[in-house]
Amino acid sequence: MRTIIKKIKKNMLYFDWWIMLVVIGLMAFGSVMSFSASAGITNVSPTSFLQKQLFFYGIALALMLMFFHLSRHWVKILGVFSWAFYLISMALMLLAVLFPPINGARGWIVLGPISIQPVEIYKVTIILWMSFAMTRKNHTLKDNFIHLGWIRIIMSTVLLYTYPDMGGIIITLGILFIIVLSSGAKARYAVGSLGAVLVIWWALIPAFEPWLEKFGYYMMQRFTAYLNPWKYAQTIGNQLINSYYAVSNGGLFGRGIGRSLQKTGNLPEPNTDFIMAVVSEELGAVAIMIVLAALLFVVWRLVYFAFQTGYMRFRLILVGTAAYIMLQIIVNLGGVIGILPITGVTFPFISVGGSSIISLGLALGLSLNVIKHIRYDKAQKLLQA
């Protein structure tokens, strides 16, 4: 027991408290806003949403601490680790197809009061798998690039299309693209890889056309609403227009906590997809800037440590996690303010959504572990100097 305690104390010397404190602060703010935004949903108690949110925050924090204490060995067997994540996430994604759609799209496994969104676990899988694929031992960078496993990428992308989940496609392919670039591969390889996936993906779609027709129509509605929401103000453009109203109502400092007008029946998902519209209306643009600054600090911290190490696996895991958080912010906020189509992507740590919170906890737990080893290696070099 003393040995374990001693080991934990030693590990905590290299713990990045800055990331943890910012994440806890975001969770505290997310708790307040999830309660406030959920108050606009009829026939459901906002307390029940808050209780679930706190439960998932607790799991995420526990995962962050648990993965932080892993030894360096997990990075050495990253291939096994990434394969395990891939098989689990793909099994869950295939299982999700059997469940009925929610709000016009599949992608959830509903078990009583809890719903699981497998694509969130797949986002972590992409980080791990790409970090391994681009750093295989005894192979050149070109060999690693060629053996990325394009069939697996295409299969998972087509599966996400069938849900449909355009947000999941954008984020996972975006993570892939950024990790390939960060690995040292030439830009033309990264662009070519993304292009190849998209070309083959679109080539395969006709084979699934009878089944995908209605899902394609669903995504086309989202795109049409994005291009001209005012033309379809009473139908598919309604949620985006009400998001505009919420943002404009808030001004710099907002109407006050709990005083959003648009959350009461106008915004369809006030506590998930559009929670930042509610934040803007109640607390104003200043609050949005503070939240963004906090998340961008976490992203900067990850990138900073990524370039403090020469070990490519460490670097790619940190860059992949930073890309995951950044893309999640861009896609969610882009939909809220109308510069991107609405894709159903949650906002990191603020939106209600257990799968997303747990996924971010996993990614940050592994990143904190990597940072621990980077800081330890740096301390050892200073001692030996």
Side-chain angles (χ1 to χ4, degrees):
M1 187 68 180
R2 286 183 179 179
T3 306
I4 295 172
I5 294 172
K6 188 177 179 181
K7 186 178 180 181
I8 290 172
K9 285 183 177 179
K10 183 182 176 182
N11 284 340
M12 294 308 291
L13 292 173
Y14 305 101
F15 188 72
D16 195 315
W17 285 102
W18 286 109
I19 289 178
M20 179 59 84
L21 290 173
V22 171
V23 167
I24 291 172
L26 287 166
M27 287 179 172
F29 181 74
S31 299
V32 174
M33 291 313 305
S34 65
F35 182 84
S36 177
S38 299
I41 302 174
T42 56
N43 302 321
V44 180
S45 167
T47 305
S48 64
F49 281 108
L50 177 60
Q51 289 171 343
K52 285 183 184 179
Q53 191 81 334
L54 291 173
F55 173 73
F56 288 118
Y57 282 153
I59 291 177
L61 290 172
L63 288 171
M64 288 171 69
L65 291 172
M66 183 178 75
F67 279 99
F68 165 76
H69 286 290
L70 289 179
S71 71
R72 190 186 295 260
H73 184 64
W74 79 270
V75 182
K76 294 180 179 178
I77 58 166
L78 188 57
V80 176
F81 215 73
S82 59
W83 262 107
F85 265 78
Y86 178 78
L87 292 174
I88 291 169
S89 59
M90 282 303 294
L92 291 173
M93 285 167 71
L94 288 168
L95 182 61
V97 175
L98 304 178
F99 285 79
I102 298 175
N103 297 328
R106 283 180 167 79
W108 286 268
I109 298 171
V110 181
L111 302 171
I114 296 175
S115 60
I116 302 168
Q117 199 170 9
V119 69
E120 299 298 337
I121 307 301
Y122 181 65
K123 292 170 185 176
V124 181
T125 300
I126 282 286
I127 296 169
L128 296 175
W129 173 41
M130 289 301 299
S131 299
F132 165 70
M134 299 307 295
T135 57
R136 295 185 309 150
K137 289 183 178 180
N138 303 319
H139 293 83
T140 65
L141 183 61
K142 185 178 179 180
D143 292 334
N144 291 344
F145 178 80
I146 292 169
H147 292 90
L148 283 175
W150 297 116
I151 297 299
R152 278 180 281 164
I153 295 173
I154 293 162
M155 282 176 56
S156 56
T157 305
V158 170
L159 187 56
L160 289 173
Y161 184 89
T162 65
Y163 284 173
D165 185 355
M166 188 54 67
I169 293 170
I170 292 168
I171 290 171
T172 52
L173 291 183
I175 293 169
L176 181 152
F177 181 78
I178 291 168
I179 289 179
V180 170
L181 274 181
S182 301
S183 69
K186 293 180 180 178
R188 67 173 181 268
Y189 291 155
V191 174
S193 67
L194 190 61
V197 171
L198 293 175
V199 168
I200 297 171
W201 172 40
W202 283 107
L204 288 175
I205 285 175
F208 296 89
E209 190 169 353
W211 188 35
L212 298 178
E213 187 175 296
K214 61 180 178 180
F215 301 125
Y217 175 71
Y218 173 82
M219 285 198 292
M220 187 57 68
Q221 281 189 315
R222 290 286 182 97
F223 191 70
T224 302
Y226 155 71
L227 291 175
N228 193 349
W230 301 102
K231 184 178 179 180
Y232 306 96
Q234 302 303 315
T235 54
I236 56 177
N238 181 262
Q239 57 186 351
L240 181 53
I241 289 172
N242 281 297
S243 181
Y244 289 156
Y245 287 150
V247 172
S248 64
N249 286 344
L252 276 178
F253 300 104
R255 294 173 50 83
I257 191 74
R259 298 182 64 188
S260 167
L261 299 175
Q262 298 306 309
K263 71 182 180 184
T264 55
N266 294 319
L267 286 172
E269 302 291 343
N271 60 355
T272 56
D273 304 1
F274 287 95
I275 196 166
M276 294 308 285
V278 176
V279 172
S280 180
E281 187 174 13
E282 294 189 350
L283 300 175
V286 171
I288 298 290
M289 292 299 106
I290 292 171
V291 171
L292 285 177
L295 283 166
L296 290 177
F297 174 81
V298 173
V299 170
W300 169 81
R301 197 80 178 157
L302 294 169
V303 174
Y304 169 78
F305 280 108
F307 289 94
Q308 293 293 307
T309 179
Y311 187 30
M312 190 57 73
R313 284 191 178 175
F314 284 170
R315 179 176 295 179
L316 296 184
I317 290 167
L318 292 176
V319 168
T321 304
Y324 172 16
I325 296 170
M326 199 69 218
L327 288 166
Q328 199 89 359
I329 294 168
I330 291 169
V331 175
N332 176 273
L333 274 187
V336 168
I337 62 177
I339 62 173
L340 290 173
I342 297 164
T343 55
V345 169
T346 56
F347 192 86
F349 292 114
I350 308 299
S351 294
V352 169
S355 299
S356 175
I357 291 166
I358 289 172
S359 173
L360 288 164
L362 278 170
L364 283 175
L366 294 170
S367 296
L368 286 170
N369 179 273
V370 167
I371 290 171
K372 174 186 73 175
H373 295 308
I374 292 171
R375 297 180 75 176
Y376 174 79
D377 291 346
K378 194 173 180 180
Q380 291 301 109
K381 284 181 182 179
L382 289 173
L383 288 173
Q384 293 169 7

